[in-house]
Amino acid sequence: MHPGVISPTLLPARIATIAMAALLALATPAKAQDMANGSDLARRAVHVCAACHGDGGRSQNPAYPALAGQMPMYLARQLKDFRAQQRSEAGTQAYMWGVSALLDDDTIQALADYYSAQTPLAGHGKASPAVLRAGRDIFDNGLPAKGVRACASCHGEHAEGAAGFPRLAGQHADYLYAQLKGFGSRLRPHGVLMRAEAAHMSPVQMKAVAAYLQSL
Ligand code: HEC
Ligand code: HEC
């Protein structure tokens, strides 16, 4: 079940937040000049992140987006949006607000650098060739009759991402589909560029493009 769709149990997120607080407290040195820097804290924090996002951010569970190989600028902005309680879908409120509240800017940057350097999740899924072809057509060409632009023009020819435009290749289709539906709402304020695209796609088209992206 996708946590954005079904109200998630809060227990794992609470435990993760407590674990993170404990790790960061352990890292607090007695003397200010020994203050752990962002990358020390990030090295500890990834153990907590891995409980949900998987080893190196290669999540095997579609409820948790993959982070490996994601654009560092995009990752840092999402973590800051969670911390500021601006990105606020049900799943992110339950899972990411508590953990991100404990991260300072240096640690966020170090986490973004760490995950962007990991080998991305390989393409996967069992969609039919017809669905994959339909998804690829939307990704490469958009839906000109509806004013939907080619996804590739922002997300890169192979959905590899660029700067603030996230990598989509290999990402779980369920997660991608949930985001496309969610961009119609105000829950992702930085998703403003996506609102027009998502508003003019049918659920069938969203599912096709999501399946294609997962297969890359
Ligand atoms: C208890 C589980 C849990 C833990 C621990 C956790 N996350 Fe998440 N994270 C989630 C879920 C669930 C989502 C997606 C929410 C949704 O579907 O909207 C998410 C989303 C994200 C996203 C957005 C991804 C995207 O493609 O936009 C980023 C970035 C992220 N997490 C980073 C981290 C980092 C870094 C850590 C460790 C400091 C961490 N998470 C710890 C569950 C967790
Ligand atoms: C004009 C540029 C632009 C175009 C065209 C575009 N996107 Fe995006 N997309 C973005 C930006 C910017 C974000 C990051 C939003 C944020 O930070 O919240 C994004 C985010 C996304 C996400 C969320 C990823 C995640 O990890 O949470 C999905 C899914 C997505 N786009 C799919 C698509 C698809 C499918 C198309 C084509 C139909 C498309 N995009 C076309 C700019 C664009």
Side-chain angles (χ1 to χ4, degrees), residues 28 30 76 85 93 129 179 194:
T28 305
Q85 306 195 344
Q93 281 199 38
Q179 300 314 305
M194 284 301 304

Side-chain angles (χ1 to χ4, degrees), residues 26-116:
L26 272 177
T28 305
K31 287 188 196 152
Q33 74 246 38
D34 297 331
M35 190 77 89
N37 63 29
S39 48
D40 285 338
L41 293 179
R43 257 195 298 279
R44 294 162 190 260
V46 289
H47 296 295
V48 178
C49 316
C52 293
H53 292 284
D55 197 21
R58 285 178 294 278
S59 150
Q60 302 295 322
N61 180 340
Y64 304 116
L67 306 177
Q70 187 52 279
M71 291 292 116
M73 185 191 287
Y74 172 78
L75 286 172
R77 191 162 72 184
Q78 299 313 304
L79 288 166
K80 289 178 183 171
D81 283 354
F82 296 139
R83 189 179 62 185
Q85 306 195 344
Q86 284 179 346
R87 181 174 163 184
S88 49
E89 315 98 280
T92 56
Q93 281 199 38
Y95 287 87
M96 289 307 302
W97 282 15
V99 167
S100 62
L102 301 165
L103 304 173
D104 62 21
D105 285 359
D106 286 352
T107 309
I108 283 180
Q109 192 54 51
L111 283 165
D113 291 343
Y114 168 82
Y115 281 115
S116 68

